[in-house]
Amino acid sequence: MPWNRVLQATAEEAGAARALNPWHPQEFQAECVGTVPESGGMKTFVFRRVDGAPLAFRPGQYLNIAFPVDGPDADPVDRSYSISSAPTQPWTFDITVKREEEGRVSGWVHDTVHPGTVLDMLGPVGAFHLPDAERRPRYLLLAAGSGITPIMSMIRTIHSLPGYADIVMLYHGAKPGTFAFSRELEYLASVDSRITVYYSLGDRSVDGTWEGMVGRLTASMIDDVAPDANGRHVYACGPEGYLDVAADLLVTLGVDETAIHVEYFSGDRQVRLEYKEEVALAGELAEEYAEAVQDLHEAQTSALNVFVSNPDAEALETDTGGGSAGSRNTTAAATTSAAPETVKTSAAPMSEAAGTRGSTGTTGAAASTGTAGTTGSAGTTGSAGTTGTAASAGGTGAAGDDIDSAAPGPDPADFETVGTGSLTMSFVRSRLNVRIDEEEEILSVAKQSGIRIGANCQEGMCGSCKSVKLSGEVQMNHQGGIRQREIDAGKFLPCCSTATTDLIIDA
């Protein structure tokens, strides 16, 4: 079974759990297991992770891949490519590369990558993806040229899942015979009544027989294929000029700007810098998440012989005697570690998993879905958090801090202050005060000030920006990305929250 292969193939403890988490980018190696030629000078490369684990991602996201173009001893050249397969079949995944005439990397990939080639990868990356949950999905998908690749992942995902959906796709190509995936798209449209596909040529003159639409993207063309475009979420991918035109046309047709999602496959210097920053942040998140998950599982006992036991817990039990709190901690951990919830908790988002460096107090009660921490320090109650991570020292509930409860915390009065708003947000780990107005979104203001907070959907659905509020009040309008018990514990989603008072935030 694939699941068993994950448990057996991962080289280090907690490797399987880390691999299965879809919310955070990871660094991993992948081996090419097949190639498929496509129309329009494109080729699909099928990969699997070397550790045998599945790749969890959202349809539309991409991978940053290191290509040893100049040989194994030279620095690799990094390029980002969208995943064209569906996450519903995660044991292998596809990237589709168009050979560019003057492309340094694309030609090397076409000529060199073959079954057996192993490459270093980082991902998944990117906020251009379908929502994690949509009650009545109605989408308009616009693609031009090689911009079809993330759109293909979306269509394949929708087709593979049951339920209501209404999908209209308009695909622009340079000339007949250059539309990649056209046979598969025609098949999907013929067997799945939820999917409708239109083709259009960019040139207005066509030689030979062509039954599709003709001409560049216009408002009337969009209105012809989707007269209800203003009631749909629109995902568009392609060259910069195409996307600039598409965005303007959609606004004139009444599509709300918040419903327009674009992904550039070429762009100006500013666009390239933004992608570079996004990949850099993904690398930081991958390292932080790997460390956090490893710390979490070092504090847990063995489950199915995948995770090692915690020697600190055994030492605590020996030191405190049979009836001590340390003994109760170890027993509780051993009891819960074999339960299915423990496996689920192992792939918790980083904002929850990071709390494993905190410590329980003298009573150290077990968490409801995980295991209690075992490195207890000065807190008097310090019970484990309800999401499976240990409470921090002194019972403050702040995740991921190695702070002795006897030591005073940093004083926000000593922090540098930036911004001009009427309220103050104090970020204790970043040691920065950020001024904000009540109507401003916390995540946006924080990121503009240089605060590192991971985020994907930015609509309150995915929960990836989940943070701990140490004091103050916010107004939060989330879409299911956080549970009530997490809110009660002081957590919130900065992406969909505004400040109503001064705040102190653990970030």
Side-chain angles (χ1 to χ4, degrees):
M1 293 293 291
W3 179 262
N4 292 336
R5 193 165 75 242
V6 176
L7 300 183
Q8 295 167 3
T10 48
E12 57 183 313
E13 294 82 6
R18 179 161 54 253
L20 290 170
N21 194 306
W23 313 124
H24 297 283
Q26 306 150 39
E27 293 179 334
F28 60 94
Q29 287 189 318
E31 177 187 5
C32 178
V33 295
T35 62
V36 181
E38 309 284 359
S39 302
M42 300 174 75
K43 182 185 286 190
T44 292
F45 298 86
V46 184
F47 286 90
R48 68 169 180 84
R49 288 177 59 137
V50 169
D51 59 12
L55 177 68
F57 62 95
R58 294 177 170 95
Q61 290 189 298
Y62 63 91
L63 296 170
N64 186 257
I65 307 174
F67 295 102
V69 174
D70 299 318
D73 297 327
D75 290 337
V77 179
D78 291 344
R79 289 290 186 272
S80 294
Y81 287 104
S82 292
I83 305 169
S84 54
S85 54
T88 51
Q89 296 178 326
W91 302 102
T92 60
F93 58 93
D94 302 350
I95 63 165
T96 303
V97 180
K98 181 178 181 180
R99 182 193 284 270
E100 303 291 346
E101 289 184 7
E102 311 225 345
R104 179 186 180 194
V105 173
S106 64
W108 183 91
V109 172
H110 274 243
D111 296 336
T112 309
V113 177
H114 53 77
T117 302
V118 175
L119 299 172
D120 293 324
M121 300 189 179
L122 167 66
V125 186
F128 181 79
H129 57 74
L130 294 181
D132 296 323
E134 183 75 24
R135 189 166 295 178
R136 291 181 64 82
R138 300 176 68 248
Y139 303 128
L140 171 60
L141 309 179
L142 303 177
S146 55
I148 185 62
T149 53
I151 301 298
M152 256 337 268
S153 179
M154 295 179 182
I155 284 192
R156 285 167 166 167
T157 301
I158 292 166
H159 172 67
S160 67
L161 297 174
Y164 173 86
D166 183 353
I167 314 302
V168 174
M169 175 181 163
L170 176 57
Y171 183 6
H172 267 81
K175 58 184 180 180
T178 63
F179 291 85
F181 309 108
S182 58
R183 288 187 179 180
E184 181 179 353
L185 287 169
E186 290 167 9
Y187 168 76
L188 293 178
S190 68
V191 300
D192 193 333
S193 61
R194 304 173 298 172
I195 299 173
T196 305
V197 179
Y198 297 91
Y199 301 90
S200 180
L201 296 177
D203 296 330
R204 297 186 179 278
S205 60
V206 182
D207 295 330
T209 302
W210 172 252
E211 298 179 355
M213 306 174 78
V214 177
R216 298 182 182 276
L217 190 66
T218 63
S220 61
M221 183 180 291
I222 296 175
D223 194 50
D224 286 342
V225 301
D228 58 348
N230 61 356
R232 297 173 180 267
H233 272 269
V234 184
Y235 290 85
C237 187
E240 180 183 12
Y242 170 84
L243 293 181
D244 290 343
V245 170
D248 291 341
L249 294 175
L250 291 166
V251 171
T252 64
L253 290 170
V255 181
D256 192 283
E257 290 185 359
T258 61
I260 302 173
H261 315 273
V262 299
E263 180 89 316
Y264 289 90
F265 261 38
S266 62
D268 58 17
R269 181 175 180 272
Q270 181 60 35
V271 171
R272 292 194 297 271
L273 285 175
E274 290 174 0
Y275 276 78
K276 186 176 180 179
E277 291 174 0
E278 190 173 49
V279 170
L281 176 57
E284 294 178 15
L285 290 174
E287 292 179 6
E288 292 175 7
Y289 181 69
E291 291 175 1
V293 173
Q294 189 64 37
D295 286 346
L296 173 63
H297 290 286
E298 285 176 356
Q300 292 181 324
T301 54
S302 176
L304 299 179
N305 293 323
V306 177
F307 308 129
V308 297
S309 60
N310 186 353
D312 291 338
E314 296 172 4
L316 181 61
E317 181 177 7
T318 302
D319 291 342
T320 55
S324 66
S327 176
R328 290 198 300 275
N329 257 346
T330 307
T331 304
T335 301
T336 57
S337 63
E341 287 79 6
T342 302
V343 177
K344 295 177 184 177
T345 305
S346 66
M350 182 172 62
S351 58
E352 298 177 11
T356 57
R357 293 185 185 173
S359 55
T360 63
T362 56
T363 58
S368 61
T369 60
T371 60
T374 56
T375 57
S377 68
T380 57
T381 57
S383 60
T386 57
T387 57
T389 59
S392 68
T396 63
D401 282 347
D402 286 319
I403 301 174
D404 188 340
S405 60
D411 184 356
D414 298 331
F415 298 170
E416 177 188 356
T417 300
V418 299
T420 58
S422 59
L423 300 174
T424 300
M425 301 185 296
S426 299
F427 294 91
V428 294
R429 277 190 277 162
S430 301
R431 303 184 70 85
L432 184 68
N433 292 324
V434 179
R435 304 288 292 178
I436 187 172
D437 287 322
E438 291 189 13
E439 69 275 8
E440 292 183 290
E441 220 167 54
I442 290 174
L443 178 64
S444 176
V445 175
K447 292 180 73 173
Q448 289 173 10
S449 303
I451 304 297
R452 291 291 194 181
I453 299 177
N456 278 318
C457 76
Q458 301 188 44
E459 296 177 358
M461 291 188 297
C462 70
S464 59
C465 66
K466 200 174 297 173
S467 302
V468 175
K469 173 171 55 66
L470 301 179
S471 70
E473 299 297 329
V474 300
Q475 177 67 42
M476 180 167 55
N477 297 305
H478 69 90
Q479 305 296 319
I482 189 170
R483 299 178 181 180
Q484 185 58 46
R485 66 171 181 253
E486 295 175 306
I487 298 173
D488 295 341
K491 295 183 179 180
F492 77 109
L493 301 178
C495 72
C496 57
S497 298
T498 56
T500 59
T501 68
D502 289 344
L503 300 171
I504 299 180
I505 300 171
D506 182 30

